Amino acid sequence: MTLPPPPLRSRPLALALGLATALALVQQQLLLRQPPRLERLVPVAASSGPAALQARFSRPMGRASVAADSLLSPALRHQWLGDGDTLLLNLAPGERIQSPLSLTLAGRDRRGLALAPQHWQWDPRPRLLAVVPVAGGEQVQLRDHDGRWQPITPTWPRITMVEPLGGGNAVAVVSRSDTGRFRVWRVPIRQQSLRPLGGANAQPAPAPLKAGTPEPIGAGELLFAHISGNRRGELLVQAGGDQPDQASINLWPPSGGPRRLPLEASGAVQLLPGGGAVVVPEIDGLSLRDLPPRPPRRQTLPGSRDLSSFCPRAGRALLVRHWPDYRRSLELVEPGLAPRQLWIGTEALVATACSRGGERIWAMLVEGTGRPALTLLALDQRGSVLRRRRLSQWELEPGTGLSYDPTSDRLLAVLRPLEAIPGENPGPPPPARAVLIDAVTLTPMPLQQEALQAIWLPAG
């Protein structure tokens, strides 16, 4: 039986659909024949080495080809990780970065088509932030890679806290007035650690770091204020007014208004560096609380413990435990494991820092009265002492800690030189200084700049 021909009015529709399908196939073949493109190259937080870059391409790349054809200068040890259209360039642990790096990015996709070589300059080294005494009060200043200092805030009577935010995109500051009232500020930071060296977007020189005008966080002055930041750019403000019901814990996003957190704490609340949760001190221990939009979850670690510092790898932290016989111990916390004791003793454990997931740990101890002795320990993740150094000519500035820079493998502390014989030369004590400490030899290298606080500002 012969079917009747389709109506005349349906033939143009079928023809149009056929042409559209053919055009789509042609476009697909043309796209497949085009070489791959680099869509994005951005610095990311590194947890297993001194620095890392994430590269996103227009189509899946051959990782072995990218590793073989790309060139990093100076030739530091590194590896390419990942699969598909997103790869991670990770510098090997232990590499020290002394100057900006040059990266030629090349390789082939899985069809064998070559990426046009891309040339970039990358400087992952952090800058040093310090609270500096100046005429009329105190000021946050920044030390650039060439050793020059520049102010990034006005002069306030006192500055009690400084906290980098969002991988170096901003700095949060707590100032105190002459009347003892506190204000919280966010200082925007514009810096450029990665720039193209070739093509239409090439730049003749890296843009200098610029600090914007401080922006007040919240309205009015506060009776007290404590801040904590994370790599997402979020800022937690723990504050209070004149009345007991005016105490609050607010989470400020990088832009927009705050969200009040229904938390009760017996001490300072800390944001996790990667975001999503907070560590809350309680009367009977420490608790880890997930934040919205995560489902509510609370994990508790009982005992008299204080959070000392976070490690770069997610979920790792150092705790100080206080024992009934007045001893203190240092513990490493890892996901899914009970805290591991690394050190215990009668000395005061005043500051700590760690690399990666706790492969290396540094602890400052203070022992004695009158003229207390300061000792710096380097430990491995089992608690074995790698090196011990007595810093007999220094004392730690109260309220400050240790800050570790993996790119240069150095620690940062604020130390005050001790007088040769206390009371022999009456007068003001010598000023405290920012001191760089080699993380392997533990050799201190004091800077000339006076400082009351110091911390690393990550490269943005």
Side-chain angles (χ1 to χ4, degrees):
M1 183 176 63
T2 302
L3 295 175
L8 292 177
R9 64 181 179 181
S10 67
R11 290 179 181 177
L13 177 61
L15 181 61
L17 291 174
L19 289 174
T21 302
L23 180 61
L25 290 174
V26 170
Q27 289 177 335
Q28 183 182 31
Q29 292 301 314
L30 290 175
L31 289 174
L32 291 175
R33 292 176 182 272
Q34 288 183 356
R37 305 184 314 278
L38 176 67
E39 294 188 340
R40 187 178 66 176
L41 185 66
V42 292
V44 294
S47 62
S48 59
L53 284 176
Q54 185 184 72
R56 182 174 179 178
F57 303 91
S58 60
R59 62 168 61 103
M61 300 292 291
R63 187 179 64 188
S65 172
V66 172
D69 296 344
S70 298
L71 179 64
L72 186 66
S73 179
L76 305 179
R77 292 179 299 118
H78 64 279
Q79 58 180 333
W80 286 91
L81 306 172
D83 190 28
D85 61 0
T86 303
L87 300 179
L88 183 73
L89 169 61
N90 196 59
L91 298 184
E95 291 291 347
R96 295 195 178 193
I97 302 171
Q98 308 292 342
S99 61
L101 308 177
S102 296
L103 172 65
T104 298
L105 188 60
R108 295 179 178 272
D109 65 13
R110 292 178 180 175
R111 290 178 171 266
L113 299 177
L115 172 77
Q118 310 278 324
H119 303 285
W120 296 82
Q121 185 183 76
W122 178 32
D123 192 350
R125 297 174 296 169
R127 293 173 170 89
L128 192 154
L129 278 177
V131 177
V132 175
V134 295
E138 298 172 2
Q139 189 179 60
V140 179
Q141 295 190 9
L142 180 143
R143 182 179 187 264
D144 218 326
H145 303 311
D146 58 7
R148 291 184 295 180
W149 291 83
Q150 62 170 301
I152 65 169
T153 70
T155 298
W156 287 302
R158 281 290 312 278
I159 296 174
T160 60
M161 290 193 72
V162 176
E163 183 82 3
L165 302 175
N169 296 325
V171 175
V173 182
V174 180
S175 67
R176 194 181 77 180
S177 68
D178 288 328
T179 60
R181 298 289 175 149
F182 294 82
R183 291 296 303 267
V184 181
W185 309 83
R186 178 190 279 120
V187 183
I189 300 292
R190 188 175 68 185
Q191 56 174 322
Q192 186 183 41
S193 63
L194 182 69
R195 66 185 182 98
L197 293 180
N201 297 323
Q203 300 174 15
L209 182 144
K210 290 186 177 180
T213 303
E215 306 162 353
I217 298 295
E221 295 184 328
L222 304 166
L223 187 63
F224 70 88
H226 179 275
I227 58 175
S228 175
N230 62 24
R231 289 194 294 266
R232 294 182 181 179
E234 297 171 325
L235 175 65
L236 185 142
V237 179
Q238 191 173 359
D242 294 320
Q243 302 300 322
D245 60 352
Q246 292 178 334
S248 64
I249 300 177
N250 290 313
L251 183 64
W252 291 78
S255 61
R259 181 173 75 246
R260 186 158 184 164
L261 303 180
L263 299 174
E264 294 185 2
S266 61
V269 179
Q270 298 285 340
L271 285 172
L272 261 62
V278 291
V279 177
V280 181
E282 300 176 349
I283 296 177
D284 57 350
L286 293 174
S287 69
L288 179 66
R289 309 278 191 94
D290 284 348
L291 297 175
R294 294 181 179 180
R297 188 177 65 155
R298 177 174 178 264
Q299 305 174 63
T300 301
L301 182 63
S304 180
R305 291 179 167 94
D306 297 325
L307 173 65
S308 182
S309 57
F310 290 107
C311 299
R313 192 167 297 171
R316 274 77 171 178
L318 296 176
L319 307 179
V320 176
R321 185 171 186 179
H322 304 271
W323 294 86
D325 59 359
Y326 301 103
R327 292 182 302 166
R328 299 168 184 84
S329 61
L330 179 63
E331 299 176 333
L332 175 64
V333 176
E334 300 175 276
L337 300 175
R340 184 193 314 159
Q341 182 173 288
L342 304 174
W343 172 90
I344 187 169
T346 58
E347 299 96 324
L349 186 53
V350 293
T352 64
C354 62
S355 72
R356 295 186 285 160
E359 284 76 4
R360 287 188 298 161
I361 293 161
W362 299 271
M364 272 192 170
L365 311 175
V366 174
E367 184 178 18
T369 58
R371 189 182 175 90
L374 184 64
T375 300
L376 180 58
L377 289 181
L379 309 169
D380 66 13
Q381 58 188 345
R382 297 180 300 276
S384 301
V385 177
L386 302 175
R387 190 175 291 267
R388 177 192 297 264
R389 191 177 189 96
R390 179 66 64 91
L391 303 177
S392 57
Q393 303 301 315
W394 300 93
E395 62 179 345
L396 182 68
E397 183 71 2
T400 63
L402 279 174
S403 183
Y404 175 63
D405 168 31
T407 68
S408 62
D409 202 22
R410 293 184 299 185
L411 299 161
L412 173 63
V414 178
L415 304 178
R416 186 181 297 273
L418 288 171
E419 300 174 88
I421 302 176
E424 183 180 74
N425 299 312
R433 300 186 182 279
V435 178
L436 301 173
I437 303 173
D438 187 282
V440 176
T441 65
L442 306 186
T443 303
M445 296 164 282
L447 302 177
Q448 292 301 313
Q449 178 65 62
E450 296 181 24
L452 303 173
Q453 302 176 46
I455 195 169
W456 295 110
L457 175 70

